[in-house]
Structure formats: C-alpha cells, structure tokens
Amino acid sequence: MGKNNKDFVKEITPMEVDFPQWYTDVIRKTDLVDYSPVKGFMVIKPYGYALWENIQSFLDGRFKDTGHKNCYFPLLIPESLLQKEAEHVEGFAPEVAWVTHGGKEKLAERLCVRPTSETIICSMYSKWLKSYRELPYLYNQWCSVVRWEKSTRPFLRTSEFLWQEGHTLHETYDEAQAETIQMLNIYKEMAEDLLAIPVVTGRKSEREKFAGAYATYTMEALMHDGKALQAGTSHNLGQHFTKAFDISFLDRNGDMQNPYHTSWGVSTRLIGGVIMVHGDNRGLVLPPRLAPNQVVIIPIAQHKEGVLDKAYELKKQLDDMGLRVELDDNENYSPGWKFNEYEMKGVPVRIEIGPRDIKNNQVMVARRDTLEKEAVSMDGLAENINRLLETIQKDMLEKARKHRDANTYYVESFEDFKEKMEEKPGFAKAMWCGDRECEEHVKAETGATIRCIPFEQEDLGGKCHFCGKEAKHMVYMAKAY
Amino acid sequence: MGKNNKDFVKEITPMEVDFPQWYTDVIRKTDLVDYSPVKGFMVIKPYGYALWENIQSFLDGRFKDTGHKNCYFPLLIPESLLQKEAEHVEGFAPEVAWVTHGGKEKLAERLCVRPTSETIICSMYSKWLKSYRELPYLYNQWCSVVRWEKSTRPFLRTSEFLWQEGHTLHETYDEAQAETIQMLNIYKEMAEDLLAIPVVTGRKSEREKFAGAYATYTMEALMHDGKALQAGTSHNLGQHFTKAFDISFLDRNGDMQNPYHTSWGVSTRLIGGVIMVHGDNRGLVLPPRLAPNQVVIIPIAQHKEGVLDKAYELKKQLDDMGLRVELDDNENYSPGWKFNEYEMKGVPVRIEIGPRDIKNNQVMVARRDTLEKEAVSMDGLAENINRLLETIQKDMLEKARKHRDANTYYVESFEDFKEKMEEKPGFAKAMWCGDRECEEHVKAETGATIRCIPFEQEDLGGKCHFCGKEAKHMVYMAKAY
C-alpha cells in the first residue's frame, strides 16, 4: 500500500546557529501548523488554533465591551469595487487572487478573494447610512483573507491568514481619531497582558502606511533575533473611502456630509510573534494566560498503587481553581519522554508526582520559562500553582522587555546605524527629517525601515541621522518580518 | 451630493398571502441580512450575526465536551485534489468558484474556493496519520464555503454561507458510525433545546445522500408553509475518501489499513429555519436561549421623575440574574413605536415601566410568543422573568411540535399523496420499496422528495405507496427548501 512518509522532523536547530531554521523546526515539532498542497497556504493544526482561539476570546470580549458588534461581509469583491479608491487598488491589486469562473460559466466581471474588506464594506455602508443618529457604526468581522505572497513563512507571511477587521464610521474626525487610538490601545493591552509581548506604539511614516489611509498606527515588537514584527495596525482612514464610495449622512445641521472612517486588524501573525519572543532552544515557551494547557501533570511510576488516584485528585483541585490542566497517563511513553514533549510544547508548569512525593506530601513543580524545579507541598497546591502562573506571566513580560531594551539603542548618524545593525540588530532610535528620500535610502542600503514614529518622542538632538537636516521626529528603525 | 436612496421596506406581507414575500420582508425589516453587490452573496448584519454567534457558542461547547478540537484548513483547493473521489467531484465541480490568477500571473493549476473541505483535509490526513495510537482524529473547523447557486434566498440558499464542518477518522466502521450518530444527536439537541425547533432524524436515500458518502444522516424540520428544511447532516463516509486519498495506518495487528471517516455540518441556514418556524405576521419570534436580547425594558413617560432611575434599577437586577437585557431610553421614538420595533425583532419579553406602574410597585410584562400582557409585581421580578423565559422556551418548542404534528399525515397511495400535498403541504409519511425509480417519479411529478428514512420506523402497511411492490422503509416526503 502506497503511503506518504510522515515527514521526519529533526531536533530543533539552536537559534544562535540559524534563527530561521530554529523557527521552522519549532513550529513543525510542536504541531502548530503544517504546509498545505497549495503553495503559501498553511494548515493551522489544533495546538496552533487553540492559541488563536484564546486571542480571539480576549479581543472579542474587549471589542464588545467597547460597543462593537460582529457581522459578516462577502468573501468575493467585484474588481470595479476594488478600484474605487485609487491608493487602495494600487496597494492591493498586485497581490489578490482572482475568481474568473463560477461553475462552468465565465463571469462577466472578475471577483477578487478579499485581501481586506474596506471596499465591500464601504459599498454596503453607502447603502445603509442616512442620518447622524445612526452613528457611530462600530462593526468587526472575524474571517480569513488572501494576499498572493511570493515568499511565505508560516504565521508570519502566508497567502491566506486569519484575522479580524474592524470598520467604523463616525460623525467627526476627532471621534474617528479617538477610535483609532482606542483600538490600538486594546491591541497593546492584548499583546502585553495576554501574550506577554511588550510593544512600541506609534504612527507609520507616509511610505509605510496602509494603502488608502489618512494615518496608520502600529504596535511593533522586537523578536529574539533583533528583527521587528508589526503586530497590529489601526488606521484613521479619514474620508478617503467615504468620499470614493459616496457614503454620506444628514448631519446635526441638516447638511449632507461624509463620515470619518477607521479600520483596524490583527492576525494569526501574532502567533509567530509569541514563538519568536518567548521561544528557546527547547521549543515553545507559552505565557500562562495564552497557553491551551497551563499545567501538565505527569505521574511517575504510575503503575504503583495510589499514584494515579492522587494525580487525578490534584487535577481536580486545579480544574476547580479554573486552571487548564492536562494529565498525561499514557503508558506508551516514559516520564522522561513526556518531560521533553511538554517542554517543547511550552506548557508553563509541569507537576511530577510519584510514590516518594506522595509519601512526603509534596510534588515536584517545574517552570517552563526558567527551567527551575522545586518540591512543593500538596497543602494549598492549587492556590500556589495559580499564583505561580501569574508570576510566570509577569516574569515573561519583564524578561521580554529587558531583552528589547537591551537591543534598543540610539544612533547618531547613518554610519553609526549601519555599524550597530551589523554588530547587533535591534531597534535603532534615530532622529529623522521626515523626508521620504532619506527613508528610501536607508531601506535601499540596509533593508531596514522606519517601524514607527513612537507616541513617546525623545529629543535625541536636532538633526536627521541620514541627511543632517533639521529633524522632525524621533523614529524606531529596524529590519522587520 | 449623490447618494443611494436607503431601500424603502414596506410593511410585512402576511404569510397567508405570500409566504416567500413574508420571509423576505421579515429578514429585511429586522436587519438580519442584506443583499451584497455580488449576486447570491449576503451580508450578515449584526443582529443576524448575533444569532449565529449563539449557535456557534452552543455547538462549540458540545463539540469540545465530546473531545473535538478546532483547526483551520486552506480556503483554496487544487482542481486535482477535488477530482480524487469520483462521486464527490461529480457532485461539487459544477458549482464551485474557480481562482485562475494570483496577482498578475495565471496559475499553473486552477484552485477552487472550498465548497466543503473533505478533499483538502484528506490530503493532510494522508500525510499525518501513521498509527492506530493516534486515532481517532476528531477535528472541526468554522469557516465559510462557496457554492455557485443559480437562485438564492438569504440564509436558505446563498452562494456563500458560514458553517462548521467536522472531519473525523476512526479505527473501525463501528466507531465511525457511532460518531456520525453522536454528532447528529448533538445537532438535534441544539435544534430542540436552543432553537426550539423539533426535528425528525433519519437516513437519506441513496439519491439524496452527500456526494461521496457511504450513508448520510439528516435532521429535517417543518416550516410554517409546510415545506421541509434540511437543518443539519452527518455523513458516514466509510473508506471512500480514505482509499481515494491513500490515508492509512498501522493497525493493532501490525497491518496497514484505511481508517473510517465521517464529516458533519450545520450552517447559517439554521437562521432561516428559526424565522420560518417561529415567525408571525408581526415579524420575528426568537426563542429566549437564542435571542441576542432576551428582555427589552421600555420606560413610559421617561421624562417624569424617577422613571429612568427605576428602569435602570430593574435592568441591573435582570443583568445580575445573567439575562441579556436592553433598556431603550431613546427620546426620539415613542413607546408605541418601540413596542412595534421590538416585537418585529422578536425580543421574547418586553417590560414597560411608567409612573403609574412605579406607584403600584409593578411593571407590565408582554410575551412576544403569545402577545399576552399582564401586570407583574416588582418584588422578585428578576426570578419571575427568568422563569418566564424558560416557560417561553418550552412553549415555543411545544407549539412548533404541535404545528408539525398537525401537518404530518400518512399517505397510502401516490394519488392520496398528490391530493394531500395539494390541499395542505406538510410531512407525508409513506411506505417505499427502496427503488430509485419510484423516488424519481415522485420528484418529477410533484417536486417533493424523500426527506429521510426516519430512525423511528412505523409499520404503515407493506406496500410501496407509488408502485405497490413490497415496501422496505417508512419515509417522510415533502417539498423542501
């Protein structure tokens, strides 16, 4: 019987040796994702999808707290709609998938698989909106989008990815701007509180903004290898689309007006960020609030009387505390094999329990983040584990922040920038004149880009690091995923 | 300034006058859904999407209780994969959307937008599965699918719809069969307990089964107009796909074997069922467990002192009871307008509170399902409303069951069937010989089909109602959506 060989996955390559290979090894060995028969399209396996579900659940709750409602707009967008906003079509048309046939018939007009939904949503908003009384529109959708990418990497850049896209309309510019910033702040809260990833927030340069935006705001995280990841964006779209799509309403003065518009999104790319911020050479390290399983209990000598009973009793105590707990009593694998497996999968806490532990009224508790292990009394265990998980969550954020700070430096000149990026890639803070020309030069010579003009501006001297002209902004520069 | 006119929606056409028009009026007036610029594709608006979220939440919980995990497979499927299972490609190829270009390039192989994911999922299972130790595979995905339909109606038949699709693999035929029936039973539980829709469950005839299935099981509901709705299906796929896709594993005896396979799904079509089972000439009637808002509080003479305070106090009591409550204190609309609006939207319970009510320590409580209204004391109100909602939920299921039973009848002969279907369409119970020829004749002459061979067989005499030959099965026949 013919059979594809199961892909053989070797040990994890140390990240110091080959970071991209380390990343690939980790995602394959930990069963987060697989490559599909369609180039650039990934299969998100249950362990990877569970991470996305936890991100969804956190964000969906925050979106609803702030008055947003979910809805669903069509997957396919007519070519003529995509073309209505000039910058937008220029940005997206080169990378969309085109549906040309339905069943056996050739379509009169090509339809693209949505790369993002501003156009189809605006066509509906134009039909719906009548009066200022109906504003604001605060809608979001969870879906997948397709962007035809030439070179792809699971989670980080794939031709299809899962995301959410919020699309709101407001009476005034100020309200739209407040919404844009509010949603960026919710993303930041999610990144820091759930993913334990510290982020820098700020505005994108004109060159780097979303195709069709008035202003794009971003949160940027720093990976282990010193490259940046754009982890979420929120766009103030001004009236660009509402004019192009003829969305208008009767305002408080009885005049017809175009509303102000925002959109904002995060995607499964966040999971790539979690891997590259927290992972180590043993595999994943998951922050407790995100982890599908927060605790794994591994019985030692489980055939001995009382071991499994006690292990299940502990599991119940932890379950009752509201923790997500797995007990692995599979007899086909040794405890040692299981230690490695759950370490690789990044489970935050491992509890080992054997006959000797039971005699001593204790268990062994191992932290995934620090690899520390110690004996802990069974008395009050659930409370202690609960507290430990909170400690791990905080420590992981702190550790990531320290790593980021240690890899963030000030550069005075372009020579300085090139040297430092060569020596130790990271976030470079620099002054910038605001000219696109300087920005283009830096990118052409180094591959690095302006990641953002941070909200927290620092005065690092008055001159552009590149051209020496008077500086307008302090920026973060980095190579990026 | 140019502006699309907001579509003008007239009053709801009575269902006795024109049922299809009643349906269309209800979904438009209640803001569940809208037509999009792409023919056959719908926009699910927030109120409609909230119904889907409640269905998702119920089912996702039950799927996880029964050991299933979610994952995500690619949207696009290569043509060569779709063609691997002969019956399947014949069933689906005529109705798929084809992607032929990615960006500016023509693709070497066409990709279809998934109409269902057996083929892409089986291609991955073939790569993953090695040993019986890994079985069962119990995976599900929530996504949208596209089937190019010629004539469409919102929720009931659209070219794109939202659904979940479970895809499982098992060691033995018996396990696969048990899974198929388990999932059908979960669907039945959802239909009856959440949607208050009674369903008949059973097996599809060979003619009506899923393209590529060994056996298809279905739940069928009866609408107000006497037409049936296939509300969910669960397929035992046998080894059809696992052989075609070369999925195999080392079994307990050390032999290579093909696993047994199931798939099962329900979709946004369920929302169409809710509308057509419970709705009336005033609009939607939503069962309390499904309703986005279970209670609406409408203050009367809200400018009078104390009214709004008391209304908010009651809302808090109901919120604290865990109920989903809206308080509409919009000053732009009269109480009378609001009564109509929330009746149309199907909110199960309306509470009216005005100065006189407050003086009498009471509120007026109106039930949407029976349109009854009575004064209820403010003492213990939250408990009473909670109990009332449970009563409404039960009563709605009972009412729907009575309607279905009153429209279910036994037919002895084909003449009898035609007469009764003409007079009063509904579920016809009949004996059937099992031959496809009789089935085809009935369909050709009447448009009705065999909806299912119910699990609960009744002996209605030994002869096929059509040909008079010896009967094999009792079946339900009906015209269907």
Side-chain angles (χ1 to χ4, degrees):
Chain A
M1 185 179 293
K3 174 99 187 91
N4 288 329
N5 276 322
K6 178 103 169 183
D7 296 48
F8 174 73
V9 185
K10 60 187 172 317
E11 289 308 303
I12 295 169
T13 306
M15 62 171 80
E16 299 77 11
V17 174
D18 183 345
F19 193 80
Q21 190 59 48
W22 168 83
Y23 179 80
T24 306
D25 291 348
V26 168
I27 56 167
R28 293 301 302 281
K29 274 207 82 123
T30 52
D31 246 10
L32 292 172
V33 79
D34 200 359
Y35 301 91
S36 87
V38 188
K39 194 174 160 296
F41 286 67
M42 64 178 165
V43 174
I44 306 180
K45 300 185 77 174
Y47 200 55
Y49 199 83
L51 299 177
W52 183 237
E53 287 182 304
N54 287 344
I55 293 170
Q56 279 192 302
S57 159
F58 183 102
L59 285 178
D60 203 65
R62 297 293 290 122
F63 294 165
K64 284 174 178 156
D65 289 347
T66 46
H68 299 83
K69 289 180 176 174
N70 288 326
C71 43
Y72 187 77
F73 292 85
L75 172 71
L76 303 181
I77 301 174
E79 185 164 16
S80 55
L81 275 188
L82 191 69
Q83 290 173 337
K84 277 202 172 184
E85 209 286 338
E87 284 178 42
H88 190 71
V89 63
E90 207 181 296
F92 283 104
E95 59 176 41
V96 298
W98 291 105
V99 172
T100 56
H101 291 73
K104 304 213 153 160
E105 280 167 36
K106 187 160 190 235
L107 304 180
E109 181 182 7
R110 297 199 298 178
L111 305 169
C112 76
V113 181
R114 65 179 159 231
T116 180
S117 300
E118 278 76 9
T119 56
I120 186 95
I121 291 180
C122 282
S123 80
M124 299 308 298
Y125 284 179
S126 158
K127 194 175 161 193
W128 297 340
L129 183 64
K130 263 199 333 199
S131 154
Y132 74 91
R133 289 185 210 275
E134 301 157 29
L135 291 174
Y137 274 14
L138 301 175
Y139 301 143
N140 175 66
Q141 82 176 350
W142 293 93
C143 62
S144 82
V145 290
V146 169
R147 298 178 186 176
W148 216 257
E149 298 281 0
K150 290 222 165 59
S151 98
T152 59
R153 307 194 58 197
F155 293 123
L156 298 174
R157 188 170 299 277
T158 47
S159 289
E160 182 188 18
F161 54 87
L162 301 180
W163 81 343
Q164 59 67 221
E165 45 179 329
H167 295 267
T168 71
L169 294 181
H170 306 266
E171 272 187 87
T172 65
Y173 172 85
D174 287 349
E175 278 175 52
Q177 177 65 11
E179 167 81 4
T180 310
I181 300 303
Q182 170 185 256
M183 300 323 287
L184 186 72
N185 284 337
I186 286 178
Y187 290 158
K188 183 180 166 127
E189 185 188 325
M190 181 269 300
E192 300 192 340
D193 292 355
L194 179 69
L195 311 183
I197 296 180
V199 292
V200 173
T201 52
R203 189 161 57 80
K204 285 283 185 192
S205 68
E206 288 299 299
R207 186 186 184 284
E208 298 286 332
K209 76 179 187 188
F210 177 75
Y214 173 78
T216 288
Y217 298 86
T218 180
M219 62 177 184
E220 303 279 327
L222 195 67
M223 305 295 107
H224 265 327
D225 62 347
K227 283 169 82 172
L229 185 78
Q230 176 180 305
T233 49
S234 184
H235 316 292
N236 182 336
L237 300 170
Q239 296 173 313
H240 291 195
F241 286 87
T242 64
K243 285 185 172 162
F245 282 83
D246 199 13
I247 307 176
S248 57
F249 68 100
L250 206 61
D251 71 13
R252 286 167 198 269
N253 305 319
D255 298 324
M256 290 305 279
Q257 215 205 104
N258 300 112
Y260 294 83
H261 179 203
T262 85
S263 71
W264 26 274
V266 297
S267 75
T268 36
R269 143 172 271 227
L270 287 168
I271 298 171
V274 168
I275 300 166
M276 292 196 295
V277 166
H278 300 301
D280 64 19
N281 286 334
R282 296 183 186 215
L284 287 178
V285 182
L286 294 176
R289 291 190 196 143
L290 178 68
N293 296 315
Q294 300 174 308
V295 179
V296 59
I297 301 176
I298 297 176
I300 313 290
Q302 65 181 60
H303 57 281
K304 293 258 174 82
E305 206 193 317
V307 172
L308 275 183
D309 287 347
K310 196 72 196 174
Y312 274 100
E313 191 188 313
L314 290 183
K315 174 169 168 28
K316 187 171 179 318
Q317 287 171 20
L318 297 171
D319 284 342
D320 290 347
M321 179 66 68
L323 303 179
R324 301 187 288 270
V325 185
E326 188 177 346
L327 191 161
D328 187 346
D329 61 1
N330 189 325
E331 291 179 352
N332 296 312
Y333 298 99
S334 70
W337 187 92
K338 292 177 189 174
F339 294 175
N340 280 331
E341 178 70 10
Y342 292 97
E343 244 171 43
M344 193 170 67
K345 289 204 153 183
V347 178
V349 166
R350 177 178 79 234
I351 296 179
E352 307 164 14
I353 175 165
R356 227 173 326 175
D357 299 307
I358 294 171
K359 202 156 60 183
N360 296 332
N361 190 41
Q362 67 172 39
V363 294
M364 295 307 294
V365 173
R367 280 175 71 155
R368 175 60 182 96
D369 61 329
T370 58
L371 299 170
E372 290 162 347
K373 181 164 154 177
E374 59 173 353
V376 173
S377 166
M378 286 202 210
D379 301 332
L381 185 68
E383 287 82 2
N384 282 328
I385 296 293
N386 194 31
R387 212 171 302 127
L388 177 61
L389 289 167
E390 282 306 310
T391 302
I392 293 173
Q393 181 81 30
K394 275 190 212 126
D395 287 357
M396 285 181 68
L397 176 62
E398 208 38 53
K399 187 177 170 186
R401 203 188 297 276
K402 277 192 186 139
H403 174 267
R404 185 195 60 188
D405 291 349
N407 290 276
T408 301
Y409 36 80
Y410 163 59
V411 296
E412 202 162 276
S413 66
F414 186 54
E415 284 313 305
D416 188 18
F417 175 62
K418 282 194 291 188
E419 249 171 54
K420 282 185 174 143
M421 285 298 276
E422 188 68 31
E423 193 185 308
K424 183 181 169 193
F427 271 145
K429 296 184 194 178
M431 298 306 292
W432 176 47
C433 61
D435 288 354
R436 195 174 181 126
E437 219 172 294
C438 289
E439 194 180 5
E440 300 276 12
H441 272 289
V442 170
K443 171 149 193 195
E445 269 200 59
T446 66
T449 48
I450 294 177
R451 302 315 305 158
C452 71
I453 304 162
F455 293 130
E456 289 190 26
Q457 285 283 306
E458 296 167 49
D459 185 3
L460 306 173
K463 303 292 170 202
C464 174
H465 80 286
F466 190 81
C467 68
K469 279 191 294 191
E470 194 172 343
K472 280 194 186 142
H473 311 287
M474 187 271 270
V475 295
Y476 278 85
M477 301 193 299
K479 292 190 186 177
Y481 281 95
Chain B
M1 186 181 291
K3 173 102 189 87
N4 289 328
N5 275 322
K6 178 105 169 181
D7 297 45
F8 174 74
V9 185
K10 59 185 171 319
E11 290 308 302
I12 295 169
T13 306
M15 61 171 80
E16 299 77 10
V17 173
D18 183 344
F19 193 80
Q21 190 59 49
W22 167 83
Y23 180 80
T24 304
D25 291 350
V26 168
I27 55 167
R28 292 301 301 281
K29 275 206 79 120
T30 52
D31 247 9
L32 292 173
V33 79
D34 200 359
Y35 301 92
S36 86
V38 187
K39 195 175 159 295
F41 285 67
M42 64 178 165
V43 174
I44 307 181
K45 299 184 79 174
Y47 199 56
Y49 198 84
L51 299 176
W52 182 237
E53 286 183 304
N54 286 343
I55 293 171
Q56 280 192 301
S57 159
F58 184 102
L59 284 179
D60 203 64
R62 296 293 290 121
F63 294 165
K64 284 174 178 158
D65 288 346
T66 47
H68 299 83
K69 289 181 176 174
N70 289 327
C71 42
Y72 188 77
F73 291 87
L75 172 70
L76 302 181
I77 301 175
E79 184 164 18
S80 55
L81 274 188
L82 191 69
Q83 290 174 337
K84 277 201 170 184
E85 209 285 337
E87 284 178 41
H88 190 72
V89 64
E90 207 181 295
F92 284 102
E95 58 176 39
V96 297
W98 291 105
V99 171
T100 57
H101 291 73
K104 305 216 152 160
E105 280 168 35
K106 186 159 190 238
L107 304 180
E109 181 183 8
R110 296 200 298 178
L111 305 170
C112 76
V113 181
R114 67 179 158 231
T116 179
S117 301
E118 278 75 9
T119 56
I120 187 94
I121 290 180
C122 282
S123 80
M124 298 309 298
Y125 284 179
S126 158
K127 193 174 160 193
W128 296 341
L129 184 65
K130 263 199 335 196
S131 154
Y132 74 91
R133 289 186 209 273
E134 301 157 31
L135 292 174
Y137 274 14
L138 302 174
Y139 301 142
N140 175 67
Q141 81 175 352
W142 293 94
C143 63
S144 83
V145 290
V146 169
R147 297 176 187 178
W148 216 257
E149 299 280 357
K150 290 222 165 56
S151 97
T152 59
R153 308 193 58 198
F155 293 124
L156 297 173
R157 189 170 299 277
T158 46
S159 289
E160 182 188 16
F161 55 86
L162 302 182
W163 81 344
Q164 59 66 221
E165 46 180 328
H167 296 267
T168 70
L169 293 181
H170 306 267
E171 271 188 87
T172 65
Y173 172 85
D174 287 350
E175 278 175 50
Q177 177 65 11
E179 168 81 5
T180 309
I181 300 302
Q182 171 184 259
M183 301 324 288
L184 187 71
N185 285 336
I186 286 177
Y187 289 158
K188 182 180 166 124
E189 185 189 325
M190 180 270 300
E192 301 193 341
D193 293 356
L194 179 68
L195 311 183
I197 296 180
V199 292
V200 173
T201 52
R203 189 160 59 81
K204 284 283 184 193
S205 68
E206 288 299 299
R207 186 186 184 285
E208 299 286 333
K209 76 179 186 188
F210 176 75
Y214 173 79
T216 288
Y217 299 87
T218 180
M219 62 177 184
E220 302 279 329
L222 196 66
M223 305 295 107
H224 266 324
D225 62 347
K227 283 170 82 172
L229 184 77
Q230 176 179 305
T233 49
S234 185
H235 315 292
N236 182 335
L237 301 169
Q239 295 173 312
H240 290 195
F241 286 87
T242 65
K243 284 183 174 164
F245 282 83
D246 198 12
I247 307 176
S248 58
F249 67 98
L250 205 62
D251 72 13
R252 286 166 199 270
N253 306 318
D255 298 325
M256 290 306 278
Q257 218 205 100
N258 300 112
Y260 294 84
H261 179 205
T262 85
S263 72
W264 26 275
V266 297
S267 75
T268 36
R269 141 172 274 226
L270 287 167
I271 298 171
V274 169
I275 299 166
M276 293 196 295
V277 166
H278 300 301
D280 65 18
N281 286 336
R282 297 185 186 215
L284 286 179
V285 183
L286 295 176
R289 289 189 199 146
L290 178 68
N293 296 315
Q294 300 175 308
V295 179
V296 59
I297 301 175
I298 297 175
I300 314 289
Q302 65 182 59
H303 56 283
K304 294 258 174 82
E305 205 193 319
V307 171
L308 276 183
D309 287 347
K310 195 74 195 171
Y312 274 99
E313 190 187 314
L314 290 183
K315 174 167 165 34
K316 187 173 180 314
Q317 286 172 22
L318 297 171
D319 285 342
D320 290 347
M321 180 65 73
L323 304 178
R324 300 187 287 272
V325 185
E326 188 177 344
L327 191 161
D328 187 347
D329 62 1
N330 189 327
E331 291 179 351
N332 296 311
Y333 298 99
S334 71
W337 186 93
K338 291 178 189 174
F339 293 177
N340 281 331
E341 177 70 11
Y342 292 98
E343 243 169 46
M344 193 169 67
K345 289 205 155 183
V347 179
V349 166
R350 177 179 78 234
I351 296 179
E352 307 163 14
I353 175 165
R356 226 171 330 173
D357 299 306
I358 293 171
K359 202 155 60 181
N360 296 330
N361 190 42
Q362 66 172 38
V363 295
M364 296 306 294
V365 173
R367 279 175 71 154
R368 174 61 183 95
D369 61 329
T370 59
L371 300 170
E372 291 162 345
K373 181 166 155 176
E374 60 173 355
V376 173
S377 165
M378 285 202 210
D379 301 332
L381 185 69
E383 287 81 4
N384 283 327
I385 295 293
N386 194 31
R387 213 170 301 124
L388 177 61
L389 289 168
E390 281 306 309
T391 303
I392 293 173
Q393 181 80 30
K394 274 188 211 125
D395 288 358
M396 285 181 68
L397 176 62
E398 208 38 55
K399 186 177 170 187
R401 203 188 297 278
K402 276 190 187 141
H403 174 266
R404 184 195 61 188
D405 292 349
N407 290 276
T408 301
Y409 36 79
Y410 163 59
V411 297
E412 203 162 274
S413 67
F414 187 54
E415 284 313 306
D416 188 18
F417 174 63
K418 282 193 290 190
E419 251 172 50
K420 282 184 176 145
M421 285 299 276
E422 189 68 32
E423 193 184 306
K424 183 180 166 191
F427 271 146
K429 295 184 193 178
M431 298 306 292
W432 174 48
C433 62
D435 289 355
R436 195 175 181 124
E437 221 172 290
C438 290
E439 193 181 6
E440 300 275 10
H441 272 290
V442 171
K443 169 148 195 194
E445 270 200 56
T446 66
T449 48
I450 294 177
R451 301 316 306 157
C452 72
I453 304 162
F455 292 130
E456 288 190 28
Q457 286 284 304
E458 296 167 50
D459 185 3
L460 306 172
K463 305 291 170 203
C464 175
H465 79 286
F466 189 82
C467 68
K469 280 191 296 193
E470 195 172 343
K472 280 195 187 142
H473 310 288
M474 186 271 268
V475 295
Y476 277 85
M477 299 192 302
K479 291 188 184 175
Y481 280 96

